[in-house]
């Protein structure tokens, strides 16, 4: 035993991006791969000993292809009996990025939304990037950004909300943290970073910084490895690169 597991999803390039632990301690690892005919949202499920769980889609692996599209998975979420993969894909007609969510049953089969498809997509006419699932209240949303505005896509009502321009040239380094009943976002590039606080979705907490925004100049370089973590006492830690 080495403590390391290697899994090939599509006999090609496989990129894991996210992980989730089920209530029965089975391990879900989501990502994407360059499958034949296009990119694929992919997920594998493991037992606690690292073996693939063959009760999941027969071989422990699922790969759903969108033909001809460049597709990226950024986040995985378990909600009820469903498994969600969220991210974005390149629209072949507009060449813009589009929010996308794939729903699977707990056994790994495609689980259709109300539109008769296991995929939900949403485009605002900007680059729409799904970054991270966050549970809030009774629902789960895929959070990200549209153009230069923070946004989210609600799984229950299928609404996409755009907030004021409080992003700073972010692309893939948007970090999101749920802290008790409040939501924080971290983003930055080009020697600055911002932290924005929401007491309720769509409502900035005016007691935080200036109108809900803290901007720290000259201390943060564009980095996908920035850390934004909650602590046991409902505070959070921020770290990244210093100029």
């Amino acid at each position: 035993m080495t403590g390391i597991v290697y899994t090939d999803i599509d006999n090609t390039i496989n990129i894991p991006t996210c992980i989730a632990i089920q209530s029965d301690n089975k391990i879900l690892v989501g990502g994407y791969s360059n499958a034949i005919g296009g990119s694929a949202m992919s997920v594998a499920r493991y037992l606690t000993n690292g073996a693939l769980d063959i009760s999941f889609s027969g071989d422990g692996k699922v790969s759903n292809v969108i033909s001809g599209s460049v597709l990226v998975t950024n986040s995985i979420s378990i909600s009820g009996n469903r498994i969600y993969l969220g991210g974005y894909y390149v629209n072949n007609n507009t060449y813009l990025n589009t929010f996308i969510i794939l729903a699977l049953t707990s056994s790994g089969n495609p689980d259709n939304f109300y539109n008769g498809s296991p995929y939900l997509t949403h485009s605002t006419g900007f680059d729409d990037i799904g970054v991270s699932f966050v549970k809030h209240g009774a629902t789960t949303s895929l959070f990200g950004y549209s153009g230069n505005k923070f946004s989210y896509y609600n799984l229950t009502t299928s609404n996409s909300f755009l907030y004021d321009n409080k992003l700073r040239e972010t692309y893939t380094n948007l970090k999101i943290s749920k802290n008790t009943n409040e939501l924080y976002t971290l983003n930055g590039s080009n020697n600055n970073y911002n932290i924005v606080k929401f007491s309720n979705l769509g409502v900035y907490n005016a007691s935080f910084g200036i109108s809900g925004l803290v901007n720290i100049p000259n201390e943060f370089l564009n980095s996908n490895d920035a850390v934004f973590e909650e602590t046991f006492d409902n505070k959070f830690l921020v770290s990244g690169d210093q100029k």
Side-chain angles (χ1 to χ4, degrees):
M1 299 293 290
T2 64
I4 303 173
V5 172
Y6 298 94
T7 303
D8 188 354
I9 302 291
D10 286 311
N11 296 316
T12 181
I13 298 173
N14 303 282
I15 303 173
T17 57
C18 44
I19 189 168
I21 309 298
Q22 296 186 171
S23 59
D24 58 3
N25 293 321
K26 292 181 179 180
I27 305 161
L28 289 164
V29 178
Y32 56 99
S33 54
N34 293 328
I36 296 175
S39 296
M41 300 186 99
S42 304
V43 59
R45 189 164 75 189
Y46 302 89
L47 305 175
T48 55
N49 64 1
L52 283 167
D53 177 13
I54 60 173
S55 69
F56 187 68
S57 191
D59 60 359
K61 301 178 290 184
V62 172
S63 177
N64 277 47
V65 177
I66 295 183
S67 179
S69 298
V70 177
L71 187 152
V72 175
T73 304
N74 281 330
S75 186
I76 187 170
S77 178
I78 304 167
S79 184
N81 293 321
R82 272 184 168 180
I83 298 165
Y84 295 108
L85 296 177
Y88 65 95
Y89 76 99
V90 179
N91 187 304
N92 287 334
N93 295 319
T94 65
Y95 298 103
L96 293 173
N97 295 313
T98 299
F99 264 67
I100 187 167
I101 301 170
L102 168 65
L104 301 171
T105 66
S106 58
S107 60
N109 296 315
D111 195 4
N112 288 347
F113 290 100
Y114 58 84
N115 62 359
S117 169
Y119 292 105
L120 277 179
T121 63
H122 186 76
S123 176
T124 62
F126 301 97
D127 274 322
D128 294 286
I129 308 292
V131 175
S132 180
F133 283 113
V134 176
K135 293 183 178 181
H136 50 100
T139 192
T140 299
S141 293
L142 180 63
F143 284 75
Y145 46 95
S146 300
N148 58 358
K149 294 185 178 182
F150 177 59
S151 64
Y152 73 90
Y153 190 74
N154 189 309
L155 281 175
T156 302
T157 61
S158 300
N159 291 327
S160 179
F161 296 86
L162 296 180
Y163 299 144
D164 291 340
N165 183 0
K166 289 184 181 290
L167 297 182
R168 183 176 291 276
E169 299 179 36
T170 191
Y171 187 65
T172 57
N173 61 342
L174 178 67
K175 310 295 180 182
I176 300 167
S177 174
K178 185 74 183 294
N179 183 294
T180 60
N181 294 319
E182 297 166 331
L183 183 75
Y184 296 85
T185 69
L186 168 70
N187 67 92
S189 69
N190 195 24
N191 307 332
N192 293 271
Y193 73 79
N194 288 343
I195 303 172
V196 181
K197 178 179 180 180
F198 302 91
S199 292
N200 296 292
L201 293 177
V203 179
Y204 297 118
N205 189 313
S207 65
F208 184 76
I210 300 175
S211 300
L213 168 70
V214 171
N215 172 242
I216 311 296
N218 304 318
E219 293 293 339
F220 187 81
L221 294 178
N222 192 11
S223 171
N224 293 334
D225 298 322
V227 177
F228 188 38
E229 297 291 343
E230 298 173 48
T231 65
F232 69 93
D233 56 354
N234 291 327
K235 298 179 181 177
F236 55 85
L237 302 174
V238 180
S239 66
D241 298 333
Q242 187 177 40
K243 184 176 180 181

